[in-house]
């Protein structure tokens, strides 16, 4: 950088130089100017250095495979041709900045990473809430459907039980008839197919036994008639009495189901 002596020799005839009367003032102003110039140059170099450092850090950030345990020698081979690498005029400074960067990788996540994590957590909470709501709706619908299905099954069961009892009244009037003999007659009736599909065998057996017990009881309770009494009249009375018994039993069961 120029000295005041060199400056004076070069510009002593310049009107702007001669406008300052005292040589001491000229030199003082010259030194102030040099100080300001040095300061600006220093600031400029600092800005350039910071820009170089920022560019180099961005270059490292673009290397997605970097971890806290990455080696500078390996990374250097991948990025040495990048202008941001070459802009750093010191190999030791490059390595220092590299070590500084990888040291912070596992310590403090970047704002971008933190924001992405918060967004992901928010999305996961929303999805979990939606799944829970869908589950509740499905459970409610399933419960309602099960109740309706149960009601339909019970109604169908009651209908076929009524049909079976009616079939017994219509077709099984002899208290001495066996279940095997009764089934032959019952199978000829069109209602048997539906009864067989709905009522389990054990329940059909129980209803048949109940029916036969009722027939036997009616026979025992029926007054003894003379030999001249008509057998047809006896059987008609027996059938009518048993029908009334079955109807009364069914009405009682219907009231019980309605109450429950």
């Amino acid at each position: 950088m120029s000295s005041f002596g060199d400056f004076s020799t070069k510009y002593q005839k310049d009107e702007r130089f001669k406008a300052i009367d005292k040589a001491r003032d000229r030199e003082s102003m010259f030194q102030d100017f040099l100080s300001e110039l040095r300061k600006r140059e220093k600031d400029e170099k600092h800005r350039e250095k910071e820009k170089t450092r920022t560019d180099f850090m961005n270059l490292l950030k673009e290397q997605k495979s970097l971890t806290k345990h990455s080696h500078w020698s390996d990374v250097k081979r991948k990025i040495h041709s990048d202008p941001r690498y070459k802009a750093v005029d010191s190999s030791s400074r490059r390595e220092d900045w590299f070590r500084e960067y990888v040291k912070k990788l596992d310590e403090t996540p970047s704002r971008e990473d933190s924001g992405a994590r918060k967004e992901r957590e928010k999305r996961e909470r929303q999805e979990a809430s939606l799944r829970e709501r869908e589950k509740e709706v499905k459970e409610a619908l399933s419960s309602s459907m099960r109740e309706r299905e149960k009601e339909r099954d019970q109604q169908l069961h009651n209908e076929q039980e009524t049909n079976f009892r009616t079939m017994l009244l219509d077709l099984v009037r002899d208290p001495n008839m066996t279940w095997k003999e009764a089934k032959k007659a019952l199978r000829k009736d069109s209602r048997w197919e539906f009864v067989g599909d709905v009522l389990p065998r054990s329940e059909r057996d129980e209803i048949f036994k109940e029916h036969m017990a009722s027939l036997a009881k009616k026979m025992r309770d029926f007054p003894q008639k003379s030999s001249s009494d008509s057998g047809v009249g006896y059987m008609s009375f027996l059938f009518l009495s048993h029908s009334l018994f079955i109807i009364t039993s069914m009405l009682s069961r219907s009231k019980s189901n309605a109450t429950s």
Side-chain angles (χ1 to χ4, degrees):
M1 187 170 289
S2 300
S3 65
F4 180 69
D6 295 335
F7 179 77
S8 297
T9 301
K10 186 174 182 179
Y11 294 103
Q12 61 182 341
K13 295 181 179 181
D14 192 291
E15 294 297 327
R16 292 169 293 180
F17 181 85
K18 293 188 291 183
I20 307 300
D21 294 333
K22 296 180 180 180
R24 186 173 55 185
D25 291 340
R26 295 188 191 114
E27 185 174 1
S28 177
M29 293 176 67
F30 177 79
Q31 296 300 334
D32 289 343
F33 175 78
L34 287 183
S35 295
E36 182 64 25
L37 183 60
R38 291 190 187 99
K39 184 177 182 301
R40 286 202 300 267
E41 289 177 348
K42 183 179 180 180
D43 291 343
E44 182 64 25
K45 287 181 179 179
H46 178 72
R47 285 194 295 270
E48 289 179 356
K49 181 181 178 181
E50 284 300 310
K51 182 179 183 305
T52 301
R53 182 180 183 279
T54 300
D55 291 344
F56 185 77
M57 289 298 188
N58 287 335
L59 174 61
L60 295 177
K61 188 180 294 185
E62 292 172 7
Q63 313 309 306
K64 301 302 183 182
S65 60
L66 279 184
T67 68
K68 191 175 183 179
H69 306 290
S70 297
H71 296 286
W72 170 237
S73 58
D74 297 330
V75 177
K76 181 170 61 174
R77 285 195 293 270
K78 296 179 180 178
I79 64 174
H80 73 279
S81 60
D82 194 287
R84 292 168 292 182
Y85 174 91
K86 296 178 180 179
V88 184
D89 57 5
S90 170
S91 59
S92 60
R93 183 175 291 122
R94 295 187 192 108
E95 186 171 358
D96 289 342
W97 287 349
F98 165 78
R99 296 187 184 283
E100 178 184 340
Y101 176 79
V102 296
K103 183 179 179 181
K104 295 179 179 179
L105 281 179
D106 293 340
E107 293 178 357
T108 306
S110 66
R111 290 185 178 181
E112 181 180 0
D113 292 339
S114 177
R117 184 179 67 255
K118 290 180 180 179
E119 184 64 26
R120 175 177 54 79
E121 291 173 351
K122 179 181 178 181
R123 184 171 61 254
E124 289 176 352
R125 288 194 299 270
Q126 291 174 340
E127 292 174 352
S129 177
L130 181 60
R131 287 195 299 270
E132 184 64 24
R133 178 56 182 161
E134 290 176 347
K135 180 181 178 182
E136 292 175 356
V137 171
K138 287 181 179 179
E139 289 178 351
L141 290 175
S142 178
S143 177
S144 176
M145 291 178 65
R146 284 197 300 270
E147 288 298 323
R148 292 181 181 178
E149 188 69 22
K150 184 178 180 181
E151 291 176 1
R152 286 196 295 268
D153 290 345
Q154 185 61 46
Q155 182 179 358
L156 180 60
H157 180 277
N158 292 341
E159 290 175 354
Q160 296 310 316
E161 181 181 346
T162 300
N163 283 339
F164 186 54
R165 292 183 182 277
T166 303
M167 289 170 63
L168 292 175
L169 288 174
D170 294 342
L171 303 173
V172 181
R173 302 180 183 180
D174 183 356
N176 296 317
M177 182 179 288
T178 64
W179 175 229
K180 183 177 181 180
E181 294 170 338
K183 282 193 291 186
K184 289 182 180 180
L186 293 169
R187 284 197 176 100
K188 296 177 182 179
D189 193 294
S190 60
R191 293 169 292 181
W192 173 259
E193 181 179 356
F194 299 102
V195 169
D197 289 341
V198 176
L199 296 184
R201 178 181 299 178
S202 59
E203 189 171 354
R204 295 198 303 267
D205 291 347
E206 289 299 320
I207 294 175
F208 175 76
K209 291 177 182 179
E210 179 184 326
H211 175 75
M212 299 307 289
S214 178
L215 286 179
K217 183 176 183 301
K218 294 300 180 182
M219 178 176 286
R220 290 194 302 271
D221 294 343
F222 190 76
Q224 295 295 324
K225 298 291 182 178
S226 63
S227 58
S228 61
D229 288 340
S230 170
V232 175
Y234 165 73
M235 293 304 295
S236 297
F237 173 79
L238 187 62
F239 174 70
L240 178 60
S241 299
H242 186 57
S243 298
L244 291 174
F245 172 78
I246 294 299
I247 293 172
T248 302
S249 176
M250 290 170 59
L251 288 174
S252 177
R253 185 180 291 103
S254 298
K255 289 181 179 180
S256 176
N257 290 337
T259 303
S260 61

